[in-house]
Amino acid sequence: MRLNVKLKQIGLLGLLISAAFFLSACSLSGNPDAGLDSSVFLSIDGGNSWREAVAMATPSDPKNIKSLNVNAMVFDPQDNFAVYLASRGDGLYYTYNVINEGWQKAKGLPSETVNDVRVDYQNKCLIYAAVANRLYKSEDCSRSFSQIYFDNNPEVSVNAIALDFYNPRNIYIGTSRGEVIKSIDRGESWRTIQRLENDGVSQLILSPLDSRLVFMASTNNKIYSFNTSSVVDSSDPISLERSFVISNFTDLNPVLRDYDLGRTFRDFVVSSDGKMFIATNQTILRSPDNGITWEKLKLIPPEKDAVINSLAVDAKNSDNIFYVTNTAFFRSTDGGVTWSTKKLPTSRAGSALLVDFENPNNIYLGTVKLK
């Protein structure tokens, strides 16, 4: 019965979004060259048309977030209407329904660049945000934040956060100095479990098929993987020690050298069926076997003109692939064999894509102002 109620709520919210979108987006889709200077757009038809999604929730706040530069956007994994926006230079914003409720600012965080943000898989009020050399945690749905990690070197940044969906007490962070640091108690204590030499960590992803398998992308366009423990028996000293031991550390880069990735790494995605995708500035690679083998997807523009900024993959069907450039949105529904393309509805550059894990026709586009 509770499941049926939830489904009815989702259906009603979807109808409300559709109605609001129809009433306010028709002029935008009718004038694809409008070139609005705005930060966030929403499409409910797979990217064929877009509307601004920048209103704030409360009158006491500024009217909108049009001027924001978007660093990243993520969903609450339990709620496809809850979106968190990490900005460049102005803190964290979130919405529980962007059309009907608008955005709110997380006022417990500093108004600085948010490098990454993640929401706990079991507790939607538990949010983690990486800002500069610090990691913050909120236990009250972004009303307040406490600092749970601090690096004594202000030149070092916390770049990436990964949460264990099997055991949410396990948290991983990656730093610009090259450490992967793990907590087994939701951030109360930390230990370095891996360290790169002369490189930094830019992204951490736990395999959606097995949270013990960790993928790491470096700031120098390197990809690695390793295994770590997920289940911890806090009463067993041996189990506790094993939780910080890694195994099967694998350098995935020798085979990638054949593709000449250079230093233009843009995005790294692992789909729900385990396929890996790498987007560089000008190409997309896909691996079906955890990085052992790769294939290059054929894009419409020649590689020298592609300029990929962000990549997204449908959570339910990895043949649905999306990417955005400074001026265009691309979508493939057949695994990259063919592509459709649309001009962006903005004078800005696309910087982030977020595809609804329940309905892939709902797509969020984040932008940054071109210099």
Side-chain angles (χ1 to χ4, degrees), residues 170-186:
N170 294 330
I171 308 169
Y172 303 82
I173 59 174
T175 74
S176 62
R177 191 169 45 214
E179 296 107 345
V180 178
I181 306 171
K182 182 178 181 180
S183 172
I184 60 171
D185 50 18
R186 285 196 169 99

Side-chain angles (χ1 to χ4, degrees), residues 29 79 209 229 242 260 277 315:
S29 60
D79 184 355
L209 304 181
S229 173
R242 284 177 177 171
D260 189 25
F277 295 81

Side-chain angles (χ1 to χ4, degrees), residues 236-247:
D236 180 3
I238 295 177
S239 175
L240 282 172
E241 188 60 30
R242 284 177 177 171
S243 67
F244 295 108
V245 175
I246 72 166
S247 60

Side-chain angles (χ1 to χ4, degrees), residues 171-335:
I171 308 169
Y172 303 82
I173 59 174
T175 74
S176 62
R177 191 169 45 214
E179 296 107 345
V180 178
I181 306 171
K182 182 178 181 180
S183 172
I184 60 171
D185 50 18
R186 285 196 169 99
E188 295 297 321
S189 60
W190 299 88
R191 189 187 296 188
T192 298
I193 61 171
Q194 180 60 36
R195 181 176 281 109
L196 298 177
E197 295 294 333
N198 302 315
D199 204 352
V201 178
S202 62
Q203 284 182 268
L204 287 173
I205 299 176
L206 306 190
S207 168
L209 304 181
D210 184 350
S211 68
R212 295 169 297 183
L213 176 58
V214 181
F215 296 102
M216 173 174 54
S218 83
T219 53
N220 286 334
N221 297 350
K222 306 295 184 182
I223 305 293
Y224 306 91
S225 67
F226 58 86
N227 291 95
T228 183
S229 173
S230 180
V231 179
V232 177
D233 180 359
S234 59
S235 64
D236 180 3
I238 295 177
S239 175
L240 282 172
E241 188 60 30
R242 284 177 177 171
S243 67
F244 295 108
V245 175
I246 72 166
S247 60
N248 301 322
F249 184 84
T250 305
D251 183 346
L252 302 175
N253 300 288
V255 66
L256 288 171
R257 293 192 186 104
D258 295 336
Y259 298 96
D260 189 25
L261 297 184
R263 292 182 177 272
T264 57
F265 181 89
R266 292 303 179 110
D267 218 339
F268 178 42
V269 175
V270 180
S271 62
S272 57
D273 58 4
K275 290 187 176 68
M276 296 169 60
F277 295 81
I278 294 175
T280 70
N281 191 39
Q282 297 166 332
T283 192
I284 298 173
L285 303 181
R286 173 175 55 203
S287 173
D289 48 21
N290 292 332
I292 297 173
T293 62
W294 296 87
E295 61 176 327
K296 182 181 291 188
L297 302 188
K298 295 181 179 179
L299 307 182
I300 292 178
E303 289 190 3
K304 65 182 180 64
D305 297 327
V307 196
I308 298 166
N309 291 338
S310 183
L311 174 72
V313 179
D314 180 359
K316 292 185 175 181
N317 181 358
S318 62
D319 282 341
N320 289 333
I321 306 167
F322 314 80
Y323 74 90
V324 66
T325 70
N326 283 357
T327 59
F329 167 82
F330 292 82
R331 175 176 183 170
S332 175
T333 59
D334 53 17

Side-chain angles (χ1 to χ4, degrees), residues 54-69:
V54 295
M56 291 294 286
T58 58
S60 60
D61 288 316
K63 292 182 180 179
N64 58 61
I65 59 168
K66 290 174 71 114
S67 62
L68 277 187
N69 289 311

Side-chain angles (χ1 to χ4, degrees), residues 14-173:
L15 288 173
L16 290 172
I17 284 182
S18 298
F21 190 94
F22 177 79
L23 290 173
S24 59
C26 55
S27 62
L28 200 102
S29 60
N31 180 14
D33 296 318
L36 295 176
D37 182 359
S38 197
S39 60
V40 182
F41 295 83
L42 172 66
S43 173
I44 62 168
D45 55 11
N48 289 318
S49 59
W50 300 88
R51 66 151 292 168
E52 288 183 280
V54 295
M56 291 294 286
T58 58
S60 60
D61 288 316
K63 292 182 180 179
N64 58 61
I65 59 168
K66 290 174 71 114
S67 62
L68 277 187
N69 289 311
V70 179
N71 201 28
M73 293 184 291
V74 303
F75 281 116
D76 175 347
Q78 298 182 79
D79 184 355
N80 62 315
F81 286 91
V83 177
Y84 291 78
L85 185 159
S87 79
R88 299 184 183 181
D90 195 29
L92 178 68
Y93 291 77
Y94 63 94
T95 178
Y96 299 127
N97 185 318
V98 72
I99 299 301
N100 297 318
E101 298 181 15
W103 295 93
Q104 301 180 62
K105 187 171 185 180
K107 296 182 178 178
L109 284 177
S111 293
E112 301 174 27
T113 295
V114 178
N115 298 323
D116 201 3
V117 58
R118 290 291 182 268
V119 183
D120 187 271
Y121 282 88
Q122 297 180 12
N123 179 357
K124 66 183 305 172
C125 278
L126 190 55
I127 299 104
Y128 300 89
V131 180
N133 59 337
R134 310 177 294 277
L135 182 70
Y136 293 87
K137 177 171 75 171
S138 173
E139 299 180 273
D140 55 9
C141 291
S142 299
R143 294 181 183 88
S144 64
F145 281 83
S146 60
Q147 183 178 287
I148 60 171
Y149 177 83
F150 173 81
D151 195 289
N152 64 342
N153 185 345
E155 301 300 318
V156 172
S157 61
V158 178
N159 288 340
I161 310 168
L163 306 182
D164 187 339
F165 55 85
Y166 185 79
N167 179 0
R169 293 179 61 83
N170 294 330
I171 308 169
Y172 303 82
I173 59 174

